[in-house]
Amino acid sequence: MGRIIIEYLEGQKIYACKKCNVHLSKSNYLFSKQFTGTSGTAFLFDKGVNYLTGKPEEKRLRTGLHTTQNIICIKCQTYLGWKYLYAYEQSEKYKEGKIILEKLFLSKIKWN
Ligand SMILES: [Zn+2]
């Protein structure tokens, strides 16, 4: 195993791992706050950094069948959410490539 390389984001509002504070995404990448994860409220982001993905699996969500990968923190390996690889429903195609991060596992860093 190589050394873990951690990326740092710049921006007004950064979303980080609640446990280890590694940066995960930022408000500029936030697509929607109207999602539900396994723990409750979840956010959909266009992209993020410092996460690892698990193996692809079929997941039946309220909006239909999707192929997803679980997302864990690169540093502390905490479960954070999932990535959408493929959406079977035409109306859900916009999610492909985007990531879900569950609010419970996030902390917000705000620079003012
Ligand atoms: Zn972490």
Side-chain angles (χ1 to χ4, degrees), residues 17-22 24 73-78 80:
C17 173
K18 200 180 213 172
K19 200 169 165 191
C20 74
N21 281 317
V22 143
L24 296 169
C73 175
I74 201 170
K75 193 175 172 188
C76 72
Q77 320 255 296
T78 299
L80 298 167

Side-chain angles (χ1 to χ4, degrees), residues 9-44:
L9 294 172
E10 285 177 32
Q12 283 293 305
K13 205 192 279 176
I14 307 286
Y15 293 88
C17 173
K18 200 180 213 172
K19 200 169 165 191
C20 74
N21 281 317
V22 143
H23 293 181
L24 296 169
S25 198
K26 58 183 183 176
S27 54
N28 308 53
Y29 300 155
L30 186 59
F31 188 88
S32 171
K33 286 186 171 182
Q34 312 290 330
F35 277 74
T36 306
T38 53
S39 65
T41 305
F43 302 155
L44 184 68

Side-chain angles (χ1 to χ4, degrees), residues 77-106:
Q77 320 255 296
T78 299
Y79 165 86
L80 298 167
W82 65 84
K83 182 173 191 163
Y84 289 103
L85 292 181
Y86 184 80
Y88 289 82
E89 301 291 331
Q90 206 55 43
S91 60
E92 309 303 318
K93 286 279 180 200
Y94 72 94
K95 294 179 194 163
E96 290 179 359
K98 292 188 173 64
I99 59 169
I100 286 282
L101 297 175
E102 302 199 19
K103 191 183 178 189
L104 183 68
F105 308 122
L106 296 179

